[in-house]
Amino acid sequence: MKQHTNWFATSLAIGSILAVPSSALADATISSFDNYTSDALYGSWSSATIVSGATNYSITATNYGSNYKYIGFPVINGAGNTTVQLTVTLSGAPAADGKLGPLIQLIDGDGTTYAYRWYGQTLGHHVLTMPVNSPSAILAAGSTPGLDLTTLTHSHLELDPSTYTGAGAWYTVSWEDLSLIGAVAPPTGCGTISAFDGSGLDGTYGSWTAGTSTPTNFQESATGFGGGYKAISTFSSSSGLTLQLDVTLSGMGADVIAPIVVLQDGTGNQMQYAWYNQPVGNHVLTKALSAGNLVAGTGPFNYSTISFFHLQIDPEGFAGAYTAAWNDLAITGCASSTIQITSPSYNPATHQFTLTWSSTPGSTYTIRHTSSLSSAFNDLVTGIAASGGSSTTTTVTVPSTSAGFLQVKKE
């Protein structure tokens, strides 16, 4: 896991404040699941197909299963970290989608047992997080309140398939990383992928032709299944956000059809988002980015390198001519305009901080400093222009004191 400086961020109306310490804190890896073995297996996992690989631990089974693992040596020191982060890939039959729940239990030296549960996950690759001190359940309370991150001794992995059960209801869960990290930054990567203003497609297939570009949308009239694709400048986003499509459908009378969007990442993985049973009219359709279906490539889908999109229409049972006017395609769901410092890095030899914070294109920012929160902040650097994306990075030199605080303020 990545090393980072031990600062603590607090959201303010004007920005984020960071405390400058004299020591460093590392994210703590509980397991990278490299050549991992279980100390005990329970439920269906006792007879499952298990593959312990160089980078993951894979279990193929049906029904509920779990394991037990001693993790007390070498000692894991997660002191100061605030978040449990699990990286996992889920696969199975289509009926498993939205049913599989990877679960974690952590146990410390006095027997305190915290459970972290992510029920109802879609098939695919996931990076799941939960605050350390806000578990899904406290299964046992030791003699000392709270989970002691310096004396973790055991863990349990579990998979709850909900109602996806029975002899043929197989799944594969690939455990890839379990760590303790600092606070999770709010998602970034919102924006318009295409406003379709005077813009056509690079190519079409199926029943589609070149279509018609207007100053406000792109229109395609056809019968049967068809689609087209468009290359875009790389769009960087994250799986925790929402895909939003504005589309107007006409020509079907009382019938319904399905507008579909496919996103493609830099290595050719394609993620499909379909909205079935849409009637005539204007629709603003949304779907969580994480809820797409991987239809090409081996995954996982890289949301930070979106480089193509496809538009498609599935006519379902409608045999006549339809018209789809594509008005806007965007990613939404980012945090509010409160500034968040997402990637601080301090070089004590040069007294330089490199800061990355959430920013708005066209805005300017000031970095301020104080040696104590009881004293006023002073401007350190002003007039920092935001970059064109959703974050800005700059390096500043701070006074050579043993401690202090930095603040980013929008001008």
Side-chain angles (χ1 to χ4, degrees):
M1 298 295 293
K2 181 177 69 176
Q3 302 285 319
H4 63 83
T5 308
N6 181 16
W7 297 1
F8 299 94
T10 304
S11 297
L12 301 177
I14 60 172
S16 293
I17 242 176
L18 293 177
V20 184
S22 58
S23 61
L25 169 71
D27 296 343
T29 299
I30 297 172
S31 180
S32 60
F33 298 104
D34 302 348
N35 302 309
Y36 177 94
T37 58
S38 294
D39 294 334
L41 296 166
Y42 308 102
S44 68
W45 288 7
S46 60
S47 58
T49 299
I50 297 177
V51 178
S52 180
T55 60
N56 62 8
Y57 181 67
S58 174
I59 297 173
T60 301
T62 58
N63 302 312
Y64 171 86
S66 66
N67 92 326
Y68 159 92
K69 180 72 173 180
Y70 176 72
I71 58 173
F73 185 83
V75 175
I76 298 168
N77 185 358
N81 287 305
T82 60
T83 303
V84 176
Q85 177 176 280
L86 171 67
T87 303
V88 65
T89 298
L90 304 171
S91 56
D97 194 54
K99 300 290 181 61
L100 304 181
L103 321 175
I104 296 292
Q105 292 182 32
L106 297 179
I107 305 169
D108 70 12
D110 71 354
T112 300
T113 305
Y114 278 16
Y116 303 91
R117 299 167 175 169
W118 295 273
Y119 290 112
Q121 298 300 313
T122 57
L123 300 179
H125 181 74
H126 301 277
V127 179
L128 305 169
T129 59
M130 191 174 298
V132 168
N133 294 321
S134 299
S136 304
I138 299 176
L139 304 182
S143 56
T144 302
L147 187 69
D148 186 350
L149 301 184
T150 66
T151 65
L152 295 177
T153 58
H154 300 87
S155 69
H156 291 266
L157 310 177
E158 304 172 87
L159 196 291
D160 185 342
S162 183
T163 59
Y164 178 67
T165 58
W170 68 273
Y171 60 81
T172 297
V173 52
S174 173
W175 306 91
E176 294 156 10
D177 187 85
L178 177 61
S179 296
L180 299 169
I181 65 172
V184 177
T188 59
C190 291
T192 299
I193 296 176
S194 179
F196 302 108
D197 298 347
S199 174
L201 299 175
D202 295 337
T204 59
Y205 44 85
S207 65
W208 282 21
T209 59
T212 302
S213 297
T214 79
T216 60
N217 61 23
F218 169 75
Q219 299 180 14
E220 183 69 42
S221 297
T223 59
F225 173 83
Y229 60 89
K230 178 77 172 180
I232 59 173
S233 299
T234 300
F235 193 102
S236 181
S237 191
S238 63
S239 61
L241 300 174
T242 300
L243 186 67
Q244 179 175 287
L245 171 67
D246 187 328
V247 63
T248 303
L249 306 175
S250 59
M252 310 98 63
D255 284 295
V256 294
I257 60 177
I260 299 171
V261 171
V262 177
L263 301 180
Q264 181 172 315
D265 69 13
T267 58
N269 294 303
Q270 293 184 0
M271 194 71 79
Q272 181 192 74
Y273 305 86
W275 293 272
Y276 286 96
N277 303 317
Q278 300 302 318
V280 165
N282 179 250
H283 307 281
V284 178
L285 305 170
T286 60
K287 193 176 286 283
L289 283 175
S290 61
N293 293 315
L294 190 69
V295 294
T298 59
F301 189 87
N302 187 347
Y303 295 94
S304 66
T305 63
I306 299 171
S307 54
F308 284 82
F309 68 82
H310 294 242
L311 308 177
Q312 300 172 349
I313 288 290
D314 181 345
E316 300 188 57
F318 178 61
Y322 58 80
T323 297
W326 307 85
N327 305 315
D328 189 80
L329 180 63
I331 292 177
T332 65
C334 288
S336 65
S337 59
T338 299
I339 300 168
Q340 298 287 338
I341 296 175
T342 59
S343 181
S345 176
Y346 178 54
N347 185 336
T350 62
H351 304 293
Q352 288 185 321
F353 271 106
T354 299
L355 302 176
T356 299
W357 65 90
S358 59
S359 61
T360 304
S363 300
T364 56
Y365 295 85
T366 294
I367 297 178
R368 313 171 81 196
H369 172 269
T370 183
S371 58
S372 170
L373 288 177
S374 62
S375 302
F377 278 88
N378 297 308
D379 292 348
L380 205 59
V381 181
T382 62
I384 303 170
S387 63
S390 58
S391 65
T392 296
T393 300
T394 196
T395 299
V396 297
T397 302
V398 298
S400 57
T401 55
S402 59
F405 300 85
L406 292 177
Q407 182 184 76
V408 179
K409 178 182 178 182
K410 188 174 181 179
E411 295 177 356

